[in-house]
Amino acid sequence: MEWLSAENIVAVATAVLGVLASVGVLWYERRVPRRKRIGYRVQMDTPIGGDVSQGRANVRLGLFNETPDMADATLVLLRIENDGSQSIADNDYTGRELHGLTAEFTDRTVRGVAVTHSPGADHLMEHFTPAAGLRQSGSLIRLPRVPLNRGEHFKLLVLLTGAAVGSRVRIIGGIRDGEVSPNRALRPDDKPPLFGRAARLITVTLTVCVITLASIILVRDDTPPPMGCRRGTLTLTGSTAFRPALLDLKKKYEKECEGSLIRVDVHGSNAGIRDLADRGSEAGKSGPPAVIAFSDGPGPDGFPQLRENRVAVSLFRLVVNDRVGLKNLSITDIRRIYRGEIRNWKELGGPDLPVLLVSRDANSGTREVFQRRVLGYNEPAQSSRDCTTKDDTGARVVRCELDSTEQVLAMVGRRDGAIGYSELRRGTPLRGAHQVAIDSATPSVETIDSSTYPYREVEYAYTYGRPPTGSLAAGFLGYLTRGNGQDVIRAHGHLPCATPEGLRICGEQ
């Protein structure tokens, strides 16, 4: 299930959280407040007496100055309101007495009370009578069972003595299926908020969700996988000349295509083809093996079950030891050298050094290309196992065979008078050896379609029959012939067959 990734789970969870936050706040706004609720708050508590113990200096004139026992007087404005979403009837008050609620002014004595109501609520005044329960006693004011519609309120302006400003003020009583509790409103000097508490909560929650989703979009890589991406395991075998390119292709493919595992195990073109054929015949009805064999040029006959795919044009080169000094050889001279007709480099204007032929073994596709494209015949038999001592005394020249291109290049660089061959490797300097031109032509990918340089061949990728469409083998072949793998192939000095010039050359074979 490709969608079940960590990124998608976080994205879905964040979106669900945002939706739940919105629904939750709406539910809270609509459902929770639908309780019966009476709220109260002190809107004013100020001294009007002349006692300095009140902590506020004031100047009094008229009645305030003449009224006795008002030295510690205070004036409180108490607002009582229905701030729920349901109306409150007289029978909603839970007290057993005549009155409904009690206002308590701790440590102060009530001297006078004036009741006011909200605009349009004149009917409330008929409830504020002694018969309905309105009374004052000491620090208490008993309030009638006043029915309040949603949003209605009344206020008590209370004259008090006996304690300083700020003494506790509270409402005592209960509401059936509701509550009586203090609330808060803006004071005259307060700046009103732009949003309410619920609006702020939902805004913050949704903002966090949006930022999280945006971060996922920015961080995640939405680039579609390259053409040919598949999961599974695959073995690449065959050509040692193509090995450097295969190693880089393996790294790039595994990096770009999650879930792929590629093993590079090359031992020569012919050995790789035989290994592929053997694995395929052993697999039988279980399906073709997850193996691709690469060959420098077409594979040997006798394997009709193998399917070929032309991948690239590979260029090869002749290399000689630096002591030789020659920079160019004609095909005629190269053929004379390998026939043993030229045994010393001085015969070609070089130094007085015996010719040493360093070649690849019989499994090498590079050797077969050299024989087919340059020599026109098979190389002579091996005459030395250590590339130094002539084991065959009848041989005209010393010739040895090595298992890999790396060994050939290293031996040519160490042995004076040595000559060998390898694929063209970009970015890999020769040590103790240098490349020689063939008939004044040098290998170049840029001029391959117009050059007469002979030492080149098509690189083939062989599979055992047609690989299944969803297999890693099929995906990797597509990656080489139509996808991003062509950049790696070109970087290693090979020309992809998919390019216009590559198609012309690959089609000639």
Side-chain angles (χ1 to χ4, degrees):
M1 301 176 69
E2 296 182 357
W3 65 269
L4 194 60
S5 63
E7 293 176 346
N8 290 341
I9 291 174
V10 172
V12 172
T14 304
V16 171
L17 178 60
V19 173
L20 291 179
S22 302
V23 173
V25 171
L26 291 175
W27 178 85
Y28 179 84
E29 286 288 315
R30 293 180 174 272
R31 190 71 180 173
V32 174
R34 293 190 68 82
R35 303 176 61 189
K36 296 176 182 179
R37 173 185 166 91
I38 287 182
Y40 65 92
R41 59 181 177 269
V42 175
Q43 292 187 304
M44 180 182 69
D45 189 355
T46 184
I48 60 173
D51 191 342
V52 294
S53 65
Q54 297 289 336
R56 299 181 188 179
N58 59 77
V59 176
R60 299 184 301 145
L61 296 176
L63 183 62
F64 284 127
N65 192 40
E66 297 171 0
T67 303
D69 303 326
M70 290 290 110
D72 59 354
T74 56
L75 199 61
V76 171
L77 181 62
L78 178 63
R79 177 187 174 105
I80 301 170
E81 61 187 337
N82 179 356
D83 60 358
S85 59
Q86 295 187 27
S87 298
I88 297 174
D90 55 0
N91 60 356
D92 285 327
Y93 294 92
T94 58
R96 295 185 177 181
E97 303 294 333
L98 179 62
H99 64 277
L101 302 174
T102 300
E104 180 183 40
F105 302 86
T106 305
D107 297 332
R108 288 190 269 189
T109 301
V110 178
R111 292 302 187 92
V113 181
V115 181
T116 63
H117 59 80
S118 56
D122 296 344
H123 60 279
L124 296 180
M125 291 300 97
E126 66 184 35
H127 296 280
F128 291 97
T129 63
L134 179 62
R135 290 179 175 78
Q136 71 176 76
S137 173
S139 62
L140 304 177
I141 299 177
R142 304 188 188 281
L143 301 172
R145 296 172 176 266
V146 181
L148 293 172
N149 292 326
R150 180 179 177 184
E152 286 185 338
H153 72 269
F154 61 89
K155 297 181 180 180
L156 304 178
L157 183 61
V158 186
L159 179 62
L160 303 161
T161 60
V165 169
S167 297
R168 183 182 182 188
V169 177
R170 64 171 181 163
I171 298 293
I172 304 171
I175 299 294
R176 178 168 52 85
D177 297 329
E179 63 181 359
V180 177
S181 61
N183 57 19
R184 183 183 182 276
L186 293 175
R187 295 177 179 176
D189 294 335
D190 290 342
K191 182 180 180 180
L194 183 62
F195 300 105
R197 182 179 179 182
R200 291 196 300 272
L201 175 62
I202 192 172
T203 299
V204 170
T205 303
L206 291 179
T207 300
V208 170
C209 293
V210 170
I211 292 175
T212 302
L213 288 173
S215 300
I216 293 174
I217 293 173
L218 291 175
V219 172
R220 72 184 298 177
D221 184 8
D222 288 331
T223 304
M227 178 181 293
C229 270
R230 300 288 190 276
R231 296 174 180 269
T233 59
L234 177 67
T235 297
L236 307 180
T237 187
S239 170
T240 58
F242 210 58
R243 180 176 182 272
L246 291 179
L247 290 174
D248 277 357
L249 285 165
K250 159 191 163 63
K251 294 178 182 178
K252 187 173 182 181
Y253 190 90
E254 289 179 340
K255 181 179 179 181
E256 295 178 354
C257 302
E258 183 180 356
S260 61
L261 179 62
I262 298 176
R263 178 171 171 260
V264 177
D265 183 23
V266 296
H267 302 287
S269 298
N270 293 335
I273 290 176
R274 286 194 295 269
D275 181 53
L276 173 62
D278 291 342
R279 292 196 192 190
S281 60
E282 291 173 1
K285 295 183 179 180
S286 62
V291 177
I292 299 177
F294 291 85
S295 173
D296 306 327
D301 295 333
F303 301 102
Q305 66 273 41
L306 301 188
R307 183 174 183 268
E308 68 177 28
N309 301 270
R310 298 179 183 187
V311 176
V313 180
S314 294
L315 290 168
F316 302 85
R317 61 186 174 180
L318 277 177
V319 293
V320 297
N321 182 268
D322 283 341
R323 289 286 306 278
V324 174
L326 299 177
K327 303 296 183 181
N328 179 59
L329 292 172
S330 67
I331 285 187
T332 300
D333 289 337
I334 295 171
R335 291 172 178 173
R336 292 177 63 202
I337 290 171
Y338 276 85
R339 277 197 298 261
E341 297 174 5
I342 297 177
R343 303 181 185 183
N344 194 296
W345 289 107
K346 66 181 181 180
E347 299 176 43
L348 297 176
D352 184 10
L353 291 172
V355 172
L356 168 62
L357 305 180
V358 182
S359 299
R360 289 292 310 281
D361 59 22
N363 287 320
S364 170
T366 306
R367 171 178 166 176
E368 287 196 0
V369 176
F370 179 64
Q371 294 176 157
R372 184 169 61 253
R373 295 285 185 175
V374 180
L375 294 184
Y377 58 83
N378 292 337
E379 290 191 58
Q382 174 178 308
S383 62
S384 174
R385 287 174 293 180
D386 60 5
C387 298
T388 302
T389 305
K390 184 187 293 186
D391 301 321
D392 182 1
T393 57
R396 293 186 176 184
V397 293
V398 175
R399 179 181 175 276
C400 61
E401 296 180 0
L402 300 177
D403 295 334
S404 69
T405 300
E406 288 79 7
Q407 293 176 356
V408 169
L409 294 177
M411 185 62 70
V412 172
R414 289 198 305 267
R415 293 285 189 267
D416 295 345
I419 181 173
Y421 44 79
S422 76
E423 81 280 4
L424 179 64
R425 292 188 175 185
R426 284 185 173 177
T428 303
L430 294 171
R431 296 181 179 180
H434 62 272
Q435 177 179 302
V436 295
I438 300 176
D439 283 336
S440 300
T442 57
S444 172
V445 173
E446 286 70 24
T447 61
I448 191 172
D449 60 335
S450 59
S451 172
T452 59
Y453 186 76
Y455 197 7
R456 67 188 189 189
E457 186 57 276
V458 174
E459 190 72 28
Y460 288 82
Y462 284 92
T463 58
Y464 196 88
R466 181 184 295 274
T469 303
S471 67
L472 180 54
F476 191 77
L477 284 175
Y479 186 78
L480 296 182
T481 57
R482 300 183 301 276
N484 296 353
Q486 296 179 57
D487 296 335
V488 179
I489 292 174
R490 182 180 286 274
H492 281 272
H494 308 277
L495 180 68
C497 284
T499 61
E501 63 270 34
L503 281 173
R504 287 194 293 271
I505 299 173
C506 293
E508 294 174 357
Q509 306 303 313

